[in-house]
Amino acid sequence: MTQTELGDWTGMGREAAGRRVRELQKLSFVADAPARSRVTVTDLAALRRYAFGSGDSDSTSA
């Protein structure tokens, strides 16, 4: 999925989607594929907690 497709899918622009992807990369929830055209979720449980929970970036919290 490209940043443009992600932005369209989530209702935000490409640049905003790119900022969110970079934020999630810093939290180690996602990683770029070698071609940078794909994003790989590296910690799905932590990403779900972050998205639907308190927003705490500590992947060990419940």
Side-chain angles (χ1 to χ4, degrees), residues 17-61:
R19 284 192 299 271
R20 295 301 291 174
V21 167
R22 286 188 295 281
E23 178 182 336
L24 295 173
Q25 288 170 330
K26 288 179 184 177
L27 295 170
S28 299
F29 297 161
V30 300
D32 271 336
R36 295 186 55 91
S37 62
R38 295 183 184 183
V39 173
T40 301
V41 175
T42 56
D43 191 341
L44 182 58
L47 180 59
R48 283 182 174 152
R49 282 193 300 273
Y50 183 77
F52 300 112
S54 67
D56 184 359
S57 63
D58 179 4
S59 63
T60 61
S61 64

